[in-house]
Amino acid sequence: NGLPSKLGMGPKHRDKVEQLQKVSGKNFDKAYMILMIQQHQQVSYWQKEGRASKSAQVRRLVDQGLPTEEQHLAQANRVAREVGVDPAEAVRVAREKNKNNNDKKD
């Protein structure tokens, strides 16, 4: 929509914004919902790692934020299905992409 990238935006975030700028209409809806599912897929990581933290402050933060993250993921899954996106496939693609990126670093 012609919005400039803010200086505080990191390269990964900027890349996501730029990718979304390349699509429109129903393709935008699908691309956006895939991104939202992929961004919120780490709820289980928060549950496992955050709750296992030795820091009481971290555990409290996770316990406070987790319900919101879970709600956002559920909403993203629902809306994704409405626009024709398979949430499980979006997660699978993200995990494969992350694995490939990690393999390239090794």
Side-chain angles (χ1 to χ4, degrees):
N1 292 326
L3 296 174
S5 297
K6 295 187 179 188
L7 295 176
M9 195 180 298
K12 289 181 181 180
H13 191 143
R14 188 175 297 109
D15 181 54
K16 291 172 186 173
V17 170
E18 289 171 358
Q19 292 299 317
L20 285 174
Q21 289 173 335
K22 295 176 184 177
V23 294
S24 61
K26 289 183 180 183
N27 290 331
F28 176 85
D29 293 346
K30 288 179 179 182
Y32 183 78
M33 292 318 302
I34 289 169
L35 179 61
M36 289 299 97
I37 290 167
Q38 291 172 344
Q39 289 299 112
H40 288 89
Q41 72 173 333
Q42 296 182 356
V43 169
S44 60
Y45 175 81
W46 269 45
Q47 289 171 325
K48 180 182 172 191
E49 297 297 322
R51 289 181 173 164
S53 174
K54 293 179 182 179
S55 167
Q57 289 178 308
V58 169
R59 289 192 309 273
R60 268 194 307 277
L61 179 63
V62 168
D63 286 340
Q64 290 170 352
L66 205 51
T68 301
E69 287 296 314
E70 290 168 335
Q71 181 183 17
H72 288 178
L73 178 59
Q75 289 172 333
N77 285 331
R78 180 184 53 77
V79 173
R81 286 187 205 93
E82 290 175 9
V83 300
V85 171
D86 177 0
E89 179 65 8
V91 170
R92 186 195 67 74
V93 169
R95 287 184 178 152
E96 189 168 306
K97 184 178 177 182
N98 287 339
K99 181 185 178 299
N100 290 339
N101 288 340
N102 289 337
D103 288 348
K104 288 178 185 177
K105 290 177 185 176
D106 292 339

